Amino acid sequence: MAALTVAVLALLGLHAGCAAVPVPLVMWHGMGDSCCNPQSMGYIKKLVENKIPGIYVLSLKIGSNLIQDMENSFFMNANDQVREVCSQLAKDPHLKGGYNAMGFSQGGQFLRAVAQRCPSPPMLNLISIGGQHQGSVYGFPRCPGESSHICDWIRKTLDLGAYTAAVQEHLVQAEYWHDPLKEEDYRKNSIFLADINQERGINETYKKNLMALKKFVMVKFLNDTMVDPPISEWFGFYKSGQAKETVPLRETSLYTEDRLGLQEMDKAGKLVFLGVKGDHLQFSEEWFYTTILPFLQ
C-alpha cells in the first residue's frame, strides 16, 4: 500500500510525507561544459532554485572535479557515463519518489539513455534542450567554449574513422556520430546511439521505460550552427544516402515502426516539440521561465 501511495504522489508531482515539496530536478551538461560552471549549469541551477523554492537540483558531475567532468564529456565512454549516472541516482535519497530530468545538448540524449536503461528511481518528465537524438555532430562545424584545440583533434579523428572500435570506445562524439552516407557502418558499429535508438533490434525494456515518461520535451534551436542537422533535436534526420534533404520524426522508420514507442507517446500527447530562436543553447531567461519552468512545477 505504501509503495502505491508513493507512486500516486509521484504522478501528481508530490512526495510522500510532504505534499508541498517540489519534484527534484536532475540536469546533465553538454560537451565541453561542467556541472557547476557559473556561466552555464550553475546559472541555470540558480534560476530554477529562485523560481521553485525548496527544489532539490542535482547537476551531474562525472569525475572527481570540474576538470575531469569537462574532459569526460569528450573522452569517457558514453555507456560508462550513463552507468555512473544511474548509480548516482539510485543512491540519492532525494530522488526515491521520482525526478524530472533536463539535459543540454549531448546531455539530452544521455538522459534519454538513463530513462531507457534505469527506471529506478523513476524519471517523470524529460526535457531535452538541443539534444541530438538522431545523431550529430555531422561535420562538427563549431566548437564549444574554450575547447577548440580538442575539437580540432576530434574532427581529424572522426574523419579518419569514427566507426573503428578504438575511436568508438574512447571518443564520446563518435558514439553519437551518425553519418548518413555510411548508414550500415553506423548501425553495425555505433556503440551508443545505434543501441538506444533500436537500430540493431528491439529491446522491449527500452521501449517500455521510455513510454513511462509523462512528457518528453524536445527543444530545437532554430538558428543552430553546431548540430547538423538541427532537426535531430526533434528526432528527425537526413534521408539515408545523402546529406541535404531531411525528414521529420513522423516520417522516419523509427517512428512508423514504433521501435521506441514514440508513435504511441505522440498519440497520447506525451511528445512536446518546442522551437526557440537562436544558436545552439542560446536562450533568454524569459523564454526559460515561460516555456520550460512549467514542466518542472
Side-chain angles (χ1 to χ4, degrees):
M1 187 67 181
L4 179 62
T5 302
V6 170
V8 171
L9 288 171
L11 286 171
L12 295 173
L14 305 172
H15 279 240
C18 188
V21 176
V23 175
L25 173 64
V26 173
M27 303 194 305
W28 200 336
H29 63 78
M31 169 177 65
D33 202 357
S34 66
C35 67
C36 313
N37 185 333
Q39 295 183 323
S40 57
M41 300 305 290
Y43 180 71
I44 296 295
K45 185 174 185 285
K46 285 186 177 180
L47 289 184
V48 173
E49 290 171 339
N50 288 340
K51 288 294 184 178
I52 309 178
I55 191 173
Y56 173 72
V57 180
L58 172 63
S59 187
L60 293 165
K61 179 174 69 173
I62 314 299
S64 59
N65 56 57
L66 301 190
I67 297 297
Q68 282 188 5
D69 189 24
M70 184 275 288
E71 290 176 344
N72 284 336
S73 75
F74 291 108
F75 303 120
M76 182 177 177
N77 186 303
N79 293 307
D80 292 340
Q81 292 193 54
V82 169
R83 196 174 297 114
E84 162 65 20
V85 164
C86 289
S87 177
Q88 286 187 33
L89 302 185
K91 293 174 184 175
D92 192 327
H94 296 92
L95 308 178
K96 287 191 294 185
Y99 64 95
N100 292 322
M102 182 161 58
F104 297 81
S105 197
Q106 70 184 26
Q109 71 224 41
F110 292 176
L111 279 171
R112 174 164 65 86
V114 171
Q116 292 174 207
R117 294 174 177 175
C118 307
S120 181
M123 186 185 295
L124 306 179
N125 294 302
L126 172 58
I127 302 167
S128 168
I129 300 181
Q132 308 93 338
H133 292 283
Q134 280 278 27
S136 203
V137 180
Y138 182 70
F140 213 65
R142 191 167 60 79
C143 194
E146 302 300 319
S147 308
S148 59
H149 62 292
I150 295 177
C151 292
D152 287 340
W153 179 84
I154 289 174
R155 286 189 188 97
K156 293 174 184 176
T157 304
L158 290 171
D159 287 341
L160 287 173
Y163 298 120
T164 61
V167 174
Q168 281 289 309
E169 286 292 335
H170 300 292
L171 183 56
V172 170
Q173 288 67 43
E175 294 159 18
Y176 58 86
W177 183 264
H178 188 171
D179 189 336
L181 307 180
K182 298 178 181 178
E183 287 284 359
E184 189 59 29
D185 285 345
Y186 158 71
R187 278 192 292 271
K188 286 172 58 179
N189 299 312
S190 169
I191 66 171
F192 176 70
L193 190 69
D195 176 66
I196 65 168
N197 279 4
Q198 309 273 48
E199 299 282 7
R200 293 189 286 264
I202 306 300
N203 182 326
E204 292 294 342
T205 301
Y206 282 5
K207 186 173 178 177
K208 174 186 174 185
N209 290 343
L210 189 65
M211 289 174 64
L213 290 172
K214 293 163 62 178
K215 294 286 184 185
F216 180 9
V217 180
M218 288 170 269
V219 176
K220 172 186 169 187
F221 290 89
L222 302 178
N223 310 103
D224 206 313
T225 63
M226 185 168 180
V227 176
D228 186 2
I231 200 171
S232 181
E233 297 168 15
W234 280 351
F235 244 116
F237 202 61
Y238 288 117
K239 280 189 174 179
S240 184
Q242 49 85 61
K244 292 183 179 180
E245 190 177 354
T246 60
V247 292
L249 168 62
R250 294 183 179 100
E251 295 177 21
T252 65
S253 60
L254 180 70
Y255 185 92
T256 58
E257 297 169 8
D258 211 16
R259 299 199 304 265
L260 265 180
L262 294 172
Q263 182 184 136
E264 194 166 336
M265 292 176 73
D266 193 19
K267 291 176 179 176
K270 290 187 172 186
L271 301 186
V272 179
F273 300 91
L274 301 176
V276 57
K277 291 181 180 179
D279 205 343
H280 194 61
L281 299 186
Q282 302 299 307
F283 55 85
S284 67
E285 280 187 29
E286 181 183 4
W287 175 84
F288 184 82
Y289 287 148
T290 59
T291 308
I292 300 301
L293 217 63
F295 293 103
L296 305 179
Q297 295 174 310

